[in-house]
Each structure stands twice: as C-alpha cells, then as structure tokens.
Amino acid sequence: MSPILAAQLGTTSPIGEPHPLMVIPFVVLLLCIALMPFIHKHFWEHHYPKVAIGLGLVTAVYYVVVLHNAPRMLISLVEYAGFMALIGSLFVIAGGIHINMTGRSTPAVNTGLLALGATVANLIGTTGASMLLIRPFLRINKHRVAPYHVVFFIFLVSNIGGALTPIGDPPLFLGYLKGVPFFWLMKVPQVVWSWLLCVGALLVAFFVIDAANFRKFKAESATRNHIEFKGSHNFIWLFVILALVLVQKAEWLRGIEHWPVIDSISHATGWSDAKATESFITLTVAALMIVAAGLAYKFANGSALKENEFSFGPVHEVGFLFAGIFATMVPALDLLEKHAADIGITTVRQFYWGTGGLSAVLDNAPTYVNFLTAAFGLQHMSLENPVHVHALLHPEIINQYAPQQLVELGLHKLDPNAWEYVVAVSLGAVFFGACTYIGNGPNFMVKSIAESSGVKCPSFFGYVVKYALPILIPLFAIVAWVFLR
C-alpha cells in the first residue's frame, strides 16, 4: 500500500503492497461471471455464491493474515454495504410499481418511452428504470415487437441514459462513495453534450427503424391511449432514497466527527477520524435505505408485485457476486494506485477506450473503480484520500496552498486537466456497458424478461455483431474525437 493511502487509514507507516499474483482471484471471478452462464449454466446457477464468497475469502485472509491490513478490507466492506443498499432498495421499490399501458405503439410513442426511460434512469437508476418500464414497453408493442425493441431499450434505458448522476449507474455511485460530488458530472459540459449526442442519435436511429417496422403492420384495434399505475405510492419511497443519497455527503454531517462513537471506531480500526466518520455515515445511510426498502415492500401493492413477477432472485445474485468483487478487487486497486504508469495507458482517450473495452466484456462497476484508481495513481495521488479527490476535481484550489503545503499534501504533481480522466472513465464505463449482455447488471434482466414474454432476442454474439459494433462503437468514437483530448 502507498504511503498516501496508509496515511489516510491512519497508520503510522506504509503497509506492504500485495503480491501481483493476488490479482488472480479477481480475474477468475470476472471471467466466471462473463463466461460460466454460457459454458455451464446449470452449475453456475447453483454454485455462484460459493465461488464468489470463496474467492473473496482468499483475498480477505491474505490481507488480514499476511499483510496484517484488516482496515483495508473493512473499507471495501463498508463500500459494499453502501453500494448494495442503494442497488437493492431501488430494485425492491421499483418492483412495487406497475405501469399498464394500452394504445397504438407508434414510432413516436415508442421513442418517447425510451427518451423518458433514459431520463428517469438518472433518478431511479438504470436497474429501477429498466424494471419499471420494460414490461409496459413490451406490452404496448405486443403486436409487432421485434429484437431491436429490446436492444435499443438496453442501449438507452439500461445503460447510456444513466450517465449523469451517481444514482444513474452503479459505477458512478461507487465514484460518489469515493468523493465525486453528486452533481459534478452534470456540471461538466463534455459529459452533458456526450449524453445528449448518444441519447439523441440512438433515439433518431430507433425512430427510423421503428417507422419502417410500423409500416409493415396494420393499425392495432386498441387505439385509445391509456396509462394505469398500480403501487404509485412507492414513488414516495424512491424520493426517500434520493434524499438519503443527497444527504450522505452533506457537509454538516461532518460535525459528528467528535462524537464518542467515532472515536471508538477510529480506535478499533486504526482509521483516521475523517475516515471513521465517512464510514459511519455510509453504514447509517445504508441501514436507512434497507429500512425504506423493507417498508416499501411490506406496504406494496400486491397486484403490482404479482404482475411485475417480482422476486428477490436478482438481488440475491448481485449481492453474492459483488461481495466477491469488492473483496477480490482490492489487490488490483492497491497495485494500480502505485504502478499506474507501468500499464502503458496514460492519455485521456486511452483511459476512455480502456475502461470502455473492459466494461463491455466484464462488469462495468469494478472496471470503473480500477481505472479511476489508475488515473489517480498517474498523478501520484490516492482515490482513498478525500483531499486528493477534491483537488483533482477542483484543481483551482491548489492556488490556495503554498508550494511546501502542496508537497506535504501530495498535490505538487497534479495536472490541472487531470479531471478529464474522471470524465473519460465515467463515460467509458457507463456507455460501453451497453455493448454486451454482461456489461451492466440490468442488461441480462431485460433480456430474461423479454424472452419470458415470448420475444426472440439476439444471441450474445448476434447482439454484439448486429447492433453494438455497427451502431454504438462509431457513436462512441465520435464522443472520443469531439469531447475527449
């Protein structure tokens, strides 16, 4: 571990860095997630919890017994709790809202639904928006539903739409937990224009394709447009979750740093008071999210749950897999922080394509954290240090410090344009997650729901070759060329 991170944890001397071979459990787990459902689906469905937890324990035991660095694993555990509380609560609450739509599925109506989903994804997450809208989207198109309907839904609602806020997509929420402000991405013109370009271009492409499909079918008998909500009171719980996310990083909460419980946590873990405070807030907010989700489920509309075919299966799966991911990725993060320049990826565009390429074939959340850590490492800074995160995102503050203070804080080598790496990693992780069924969690859920409704979805490679490569990659190349240096 670097001296920077050791200081942030509150230790008096640097702790030895992990052996490079300890990256193997992380690589193995990601490969299993990507390939096992296709190689041996039955085995994987029954044994993935054992694989994920087993590999995670290998890393945890190594850090505790060999490196004597239990506090580092505790940090990852706290972040996992915050991450799963948000993802799980949004899934449960959205599952209690059922939208029944009838009417003509004109190209304009379908395009409007996709535009709505892409926007709403920033408020309730790509998972919440996907679960909320996929069934009514398929239902209104039942007379002429085609594979491209599912594909463009995944493109827009399950991925690219959620690129503006931490709630929007899991990778961005991990960045929020690391200290990226909630509205920071929305204030960066490159991000907003990239979002508008991709969402707008995909909506236009969908409208053209859907218009050609619409002309092949006679008008449906049901022409009266009608929307019916069941379980609409669950929207209140969605706003509760949004409020908890916003308050999590409120400055006034830092006042609890002097509470006795913070001193106890700091003493027990060896963390600094600031780190203990941050972790205590994260766990408290996570607990409140779980309570909100539990109450939403308890008082949910039973008919809405039934018609949505709600179950806790997806949360169960994501929970176990990400428990393994959060544990096994720690050695990779620590090594990247210290040896970022050694991997040969140094430019903003390289970080964009590197993050994107791996996000397409692996899960985009751990890919995001690894490349973001590498970006900070290039600046000789730590993603675990709040001062470094704030300075990289707001480089103008370095003018407030004397040269000696910059050296002491580890800011003397900061490139004023280094914030562009955060933009590149964020866009790469969110956008490229749409390139395969395994790039982002909601993708496979949407595919499964569509197939259970009788829709013939493209195969894994059909999705990539017929849709992702010819449609998404050129669009993402334009983003790199126009908005990233």
Side-chain angles (χ1 to χ4, degrees), residues 107 144 146 148-149 152 202-216 467 471:
R144 62 183 190 90
Y148 73 85
H149 284 103
F152 275 87
L202 288 172
L203 288 174
V204 170
F206 174 83
F207 182 87
V208 172
I209 297 171
D210 201 43
N213 176 275
F214 184 70
R215 286 192 292 268
K216 297 178 182 179
Y467 295 98
I471 298 175

Side-chain angles (χ1 to χ4, degrees), residues 174-411:
L174 292 180
Y176 179 68
L177 292 178
K178 295 290 187 181
V180 180
F182 188 92
F183 294 106
W184 187 82
L185 287 171
M186 295 183 68
K187 294 178 180 179
V188 179
Q190 291 95 320
V191 174
V192 177
W193 283 111
S194 297
W195 186 87
L196 288 172
L197 171 65
C198 290
V199 171
L202 288 172
L203 288 174
V204 170
F206 174 83
F207 182 87
V208 172
I209 297 171
D210 201 43
N213 176 275
F214 184 70
R215 286 192 292 268
K216 297 178 182 179
F217 292 83
K218 296 180 180 179
E220 302 96 331
S221 57
T223 58
R224 186 175 66 89
N225 293 322
H226 176 71
I227 301 178
E228 179 187 2
F229 284 90
K230 291 182 180 179
S232 56
H233 62 278
N234 269 25
F235 282 109
I236 298 174
W237 295 111
L238 287 176
F239 286 116
V240 169
I241 299 299
L242 178 60
L244 287 172
V245 172
L246 289 172
V247 80
Q248 185 168 348
K249 295 294 181 180
E251 193 61 35
W252 56 268
L253 278 177
R254 306 303 159 190
I256 71 171
E257 187 171 319
H258 304 293
W259 286 12
V261 66
I262 302 300
D263 291 334
S264 300
I265 294 173
S266 180
H267 178 74
T269 61
W271 292 339
S272 64
D273 287 345
K275 192 65 185 178
T277 302
E278 177 185 319
S279 300
F280 178 78
I281 293 172
T282 298
L283 291 175
T284 301
V285 169
L288 292 174
M289 286 182 178
I290 293 171
V291 170
L295 291 173
Y297 180 73
K298 178 177 177 60
F299 297 106
N301 184 301
S303 178
L305 291 173
K306 183 177 180 180
E307 292 186 48
N308 283 338
E309 298 176 8
F310 178 84
S311 77
F312 286 97
V315 174
H316 178 272
E317 180 177 4
V318 171
F320 274 108
L321 292 179
F322 272 91
I325 288 173
F326 270 79
T328 58
M329 73 178 178
V330 170
L333 297 180
D334 291 347
L335 289 168
L336 278 172
E337 180 190 310
K338 191 169 184 179
H339 304 284
D342 298 339
I343 63 178
I345 299 178
T346 57
T347 70
V348 171
R349 286 178 180 170
Q350 287 175 337
F351 267 78
Y352 171 73
W353 288 108
T355 305
L358 287 181
S359 292
V361 295
L362 303 174
D363 192 278
N364 60 358
T367 302
Y368 169 90
V369 177
N370 277 273
F371 274 86
L372 197 61
T373 299
F376 275 79
L378 283 178
Q379 304 298 315
H380 304 279
M381 299 165 70
S382 172
L383 182 59
E384 302 295 337
N385 189 323
V387 174
H388 289 181
V389 175
H390 184 70
L392 189 140
L393 298 177
H394 306 92
E396 66 276 4
I397 72 166
I398 64 176
N399 297 322
Q400 303 173 8
Y401 299 102
Q404 183 58 35
Q405 288 179 304
L406 292 176
V407 173
E408 293 173 355
L409 292 171
L411 304 178

Side-chain angles (χ1 to χ4, degrees), residues 422-459:
V422 181
V423 172
V425 172
S426 300
L427 293 179
V430 176
F431 285 4
F432 283 78
C435 288
T436 69
Y437 286 131
I438 59 176
N440 197 15
N443 300 5
F444 227 102
M445 292 184 191
V446 168
K447 177 178 181 288
S448 299
I449 291 172
E451 288 179 333
S452 67
S453 300
V455 181
K456 184 175 176 57
C457 295
S459 66

Side-chain angles (χ1 to χ4, degrees), residues 22-38:
M22 287 308 299
V23 176
I24 291 177
F26 180 51
V27 174
V28 170
L29 180 55
L30 292 182
L31 289 175
C32 285
I33 293 172
L35 301 177
M36 284 303 292
F38 305 99

